[in-house]
Amino acid sequence: MASPGTLSRADRRHKWSVKLSPFGFISPYFLIFGIFGLFPLLYTAFVSLQKRNLLDADAATFIGFGNYERLLLHDPYFWNAMGNTVSLWLMTTIPQILFALGIAHLLNRRLRGRTLFRMGMILPNITSVAAVTIIFAQLFGRDFGLVNWVLSWFGAGEVDWQAGTASSHTAIAAMVVWRWTGYHALIFLASMQAIPSTMYEAATLDGANGWQQFWRITVPLLRPQIIFSTVIATTGNMRLLAEPLLFNPGTAAATGGSDRQFQTAALYLYEQGFTKYDFGYSSAIALVLAVVTMLVAGLSYLVTRRIQTD
Amino acid sequence: MTTVLTPPTTTPGRTRRIVRRVTSPWTYAGLIAILAGSAFPVYWSLVVSSQTNEAVGSVPPVLLPGGHLFENIARVFDETDFALALGNSLIVAGTITVSVVLFSTLAGFAFAKMRFRGRTALLLVVVATQAIPTELGVVPLYMMMADLGWAGQLQAVIVPGLVTAFGVFYMRQYFEHALPLELLEAGRMDGCGPLRLFWHVALPTARPAAAVLGLFTFMQAWNDFFWPLVVLVPENPTVQTALSTLASGYTTDYTLVLTAATIGTIPVLVVFLLFGRQIVGGIMQGALKG
């Protein structure tokens, strides 16, 4: 046996294994993420400074901020896409949060079949974006679409949803709101259930009606969840791509409509990168979009933070 | 009056049940309407799947299922590569799910229960990377795949999906609360090394959380659209990219496309019907993002 103070070979091996194994346990994550997640992310910045075409890889040249100059100063399509992105962000995020609050409020009562209702709310969220968009494109069809058929009862049935800016944005917003409202409603519901009923009893005694209680008690107490949901919805809705791509499939798919009526910034990134193979330019769009998304997410954080807490 | 305002002495749920007014029929009417709205597009895609194209292109539109469902399903498999797409999606989503669950559990266990240098900083990196949109890196990632000769092949979709920051963080949170240190200590006294400790003590404890993580990972991998669209070719599709190819034909065969969409939704729908309660529970904990 080893003398006191020194370790046997087996003990030493054990000590090393205890010391090193945590790194062994976390290394698969960091290895794979580092190579296929982090590296491409950082490399985007470098590619965005190049004139680089997939079909002519050897001719990649460093052009500094040339892509950015072209993008920000000389490209009306980019600004069109950015405008559509912001418009769709507003038309999706605000209704999502408001509807979700209302639905959560309804779900927060004594209910028979609670599980059924809750599962029903989340059903849209589990269906794939491709399937959803194809289904909605059919519903919003011009000639045989269900939406136009219903509208025709009110004497307004001939909307060509894909053709106009406002109409196409409405249709795309409808599918995004449909898909995500239930998800946010469940998050709100979870916190609503933690609000002690004594708060409502006290308010009732003070003469507050249901509407006042909702806006003065429920909504302020849900502030952290509203902030969370708004920021999550913002980062998701600022990079809509599948919806506009599949809303009007065919030759005009990547341009988001014949006249770019509903081309989002993410779709423009796709068009430049993967139909025109202009990788440098596409990377520049990716970076600008990421920066704008962070700014808009910050803005929505600041706005939702101002919800009154008495 | 003061009695009403004293804090509840029984469990909160019970107190609430006594105090709340009876739910009005209007609440039910509203909720049923919302439920119908949630389910309608999925229902309607099933309706179209069971009709002929002539019936679909009529006014007023058909609202009830017809008798052509199996005929349309046969058409999807005869006229398109949808069988290949289904197989590909199963391989992709299956591999990603197993890998994410395994690596997340490993890393989550290390972060929650082991001491090592740089632990806090590394965990912070994991949390921070959760916020980064993957779309940002698609161009270089595509270049890497092209260099590796993987473009158009399934491993191009699988390999980047093998780990997620979310999974690591989720499992770490679970271990933090669910795995008592005494249990680990007992394992150590019995002479378990780190790996056996993980395998025989941590992994069994992690089962419920690993199941929820697995469900969500599978659904996300199955539904993923953008990256497969970029890196795969139409000849070797997943379900989602096959749908996009079908939908972008020059003459759109609506019943064919919507039948394929319906078939492609069935696997997640089955998972959802079996585990809907856990999925809803996971979302209501605020821990899971769709």
Side-chain angles (χ1 to χ4, degrees):
Chain A
M1 275 308 283
S3 60
T6 57
L7 293 163
S8 74
R9 183 183 291 203
D11 274 349
R12 210 173 300 149
R13 201 191 306 145
H14 180 73
K15 201 177 165 211
W16 274 108
S17 110
V18 167
K19 233 180 182 165
L20 288 181
S21 56
F23 296 103
F25 285 12
I26 63 170
S27 60
Y29 169 76
F30 282 99
L31 211 67
I32 298 173
F33 175 76
I35 297 170
F36 295 101
L38 196 60
F39 172 73
L41 228 52
L42 301 175
Y43 201 65
T44 302
F46 176 68
V47 178
S48 77
L49 301 177
Q50 287 185 322
K51 184 176 166 57
R52 181 166 194 148
N53 193 300
L54 171 73
L55 306 173
D56 191 11
D58 297 331
T61 47
F62 188 82
I63 55 167
F65 291 97
N67 284 322
Y68 292 97
E69 195 195 330
R70 180 176 142 211
L71 188 68
L72 298 174
L73 302 179
H74 309 291
D75 189 349
Y77 290 162
F78 171 72
W79 290 108
N80 169 62
M82 219 57 232
N84 289 340
T85 303
V86 171
S87 154
L88 279 168
W89 166 65
L90 285 170
M91 289 172 75
T92 49
T93 309
I94 295 169
Q96 254 171 35
I97 302 299
L98 291 179
F99 289 155
L101 278 171
I103 293 172
H105 187 59
L106 288 181
L107 285 171
N108 192 29
R109 312 209 170 156
R110 274 183 65 190
L111 288 176
R112 286 173 195 282
R114 276 185 358 212
T115 311
L116 174 75
F117 283 120
R118 288 178 185 177
M119 280 173 68
M121 299 308 144
I122 206 67
L123 173 69
N125 195 238
I126 63 140
T127 45
S128 84
V129 64
V132 167
T133 310
I134 289 167
I135 294 166
F136 269 79
Q138 253 283 283
L139 290 172
F140 281 101
R142 188 188 57 185
D143 297 324
F144 308 111
L146 206 66
V147 177
N148 272 354
W149 179 63
V150 171
L151 284 179
S152 71
W153 304 343
F154 308 97
E158 293 292 289
V159 183
D160 189 349
W161 293 96
Q162 278 90 348
T165 305
S167 60
S168 60
H169 288 202
T170 307
I172 291 171
M175 43 186 122
V176 177
V177 170
W178 178 78
R179 218 161 95 80
W180 285 99
T181 298
Y183 168 82
H184 295 297
L186 288 188
I187 289 187
F188 293 158
L189 175 63
S191 338
M192 276 185 192
Q193 295 193 323
I195 300 174
S197 56
T198 46
M199 294 197 73
Y200 295 104
E201 286 153 22
T204 309
L205 291 177
D206 289 343
N209 64 30
W211 187 251
Q212 287 167 329
Q213 291 183 15
F214 179 70
W215 287 108
R216 305 292 288 273
I217 299 174
T218 313
V219 171
L221 285 174
L222 249 54
R223 192 173 75 149
Q225 281 70 36
I226 294 175
I227 294 173
F228 171 81
S229 276
T230 309
V231 172
I232 291 282
T234 296
T235 49
N237 294 338
M238 284 294 286
R239 48 180 211 261
L240 295 179
L241 178 133
E243 291 89 347
L245 181 72
L246 289 170
F247 180 54
N248 191 14
T251 44
T255 53
S258 51
D259 216 14
R260 295 176 190 268
Q261 307 91 309
F262 48 93
Q263 184 177 47
T264 57
L267 188 54
Y268 192 49
L269 178 167
Y270 175 76
E271 185 198 358
Q272 292 298 325
F274 298 99
T275 67
K276 299 192 171 162
Y277 304 117
D278 193 341
F279 278 4
Y281 201 53
S282 185
S283 297
I285 299 169
L287 264 175
V288 172
L289 176 60
V291 170
V292 173
T293 302
M294 278 191 286
L295 289 177
V296 175
L299 182 76
S300 39
Y301 169 75
L302 290 178
V303 170
T304 43
R305 213 184 52 164
R306 292 177 59 95
I307 294 170
Q308 283 296 319
T309 43
D310 298 332
Chain B
M1 248 197 238
T2 45
T3 49
V4 180
L5 287 171
T6 47
T9 45
T10 47
T11 55
R14 191 168 291 273
T15 316
R16 199 179 300 154
R17 204 161 293 171
I18 295 164
V19 174
R20 281 268 163 82
R21 283 163 297 168
V22 177
T23 308
S24 83
W26 288 110
T27 302
Y28 282 103
L31 282 172
I32 288 168
I34 296 164
L35 196 63
S38 283
F40 183 75
V42 178
Y43 164 78
W44 190 76
S45 117
L46 189 69
V47 168
V48 174
S49 313
S50 60
Q51 297 281 355
T52 61
N53 270 319
E54 292 73 54
V56 173
S58 65
V59 179
V62 283
L63 289 171
L64 291 173
H68 301 269
L69 179 62
F70 294 103
E71 181 187 316
N72 285 325
I73 292 174
R75 263 183 350 112
V76 168
F77 287 106
D78 288 344
E79 295 173 24
T80 73
D81 273 347
F82 212 65
L84 173 70
L86 279 169
N88 281 346
S89 279
L90 270 178
I91 294 170
V92 168
T95 318
I96 287 179
T97 302
V98 171
S99 159
V100 165
V101 169
L102 178 71
F103 289 146
S104 301
T105 312
L106 261 177
F109 173 64
F111 276 124
K113 296 292 167 184
M114 296 169 111
R115 312 271 145 220
F116 55 93
R117 197 183 279 266
R119 188 175 78 139
T120 316
L122 286 171
L123 185 64
L124 217 63
V125 171
V126 175
V127 175
T129 51
Q130 231 181 307
I132 301 171
T134 44
E135 285 89 338
L136 187 55
V138 278
V139 166
L141 192 58
Y142 182 86
M143 286 164 29
M144 286 169 69
M145 293 305 167
D147 285 344
L148 288 167
W150 289 2
Q153 310 208 8
L154 291 188
Q155 61 262 42
V157 180
I158 293 172
V159 174
L162 289 178
V163 295
T164 60
F166 169 72
V168 174
F169 186 66
Y170 181 70
M171 291 313 294
R172 186 253 174 199
Q173 294 299 89
Y174 183 78
F175 277 128
E176 191 80 2
H177 301 294
L179 184 58
L181 279 170
E182 293 79 31
L183 204 60
L184 288 171
E185 212 40 62
R188 267 189 212 113
M189 300 291 268
D190 290 344
C192 284
L195 205 59
R196 292 190 40 188
L197 216 53
F198 171 75
W199 199 254
H200 294 294
V201 182
L203 209 55
T205 319
R207 211 177 291 159
V212 174
L213 178 64
L215 287 175
F216 271 80
T217 308
F218 182 84
M219 294 202 297
Q220 265 170 37
W222 185 272
N223 287 338
D224 194 17
F225 178 71
F226 183 40
W227 176 240
L229 176 77
V230 164
V231 81
L232 291 181
V233 287
E235 294 75 37
N236 191 28
T238 62
V239 164
Q240 311 307 332
T241 61
L243 285 180
S244 111
T245 310
L246 274 180
S248 56
Y250 283 97
T251 52
T252 311
D253 187 338
Y254 285 120
T255 58
L256 189 79
V257 174
L258 284 167
T259 306
T262 309
I263 298 170
T265 308
I266 287 172
V268 279
L269 218 52
V270 168
V271 169
F272 180 65
L273 289 175
L274 291 176
F275 303 102
R277 212 181 271 268
Q278 285 88 324
I279 292 169
V280 168
I283 292 173
M284 284 187 60
Q285 284 164 21
L288 293 163
K289 50 179 190 176

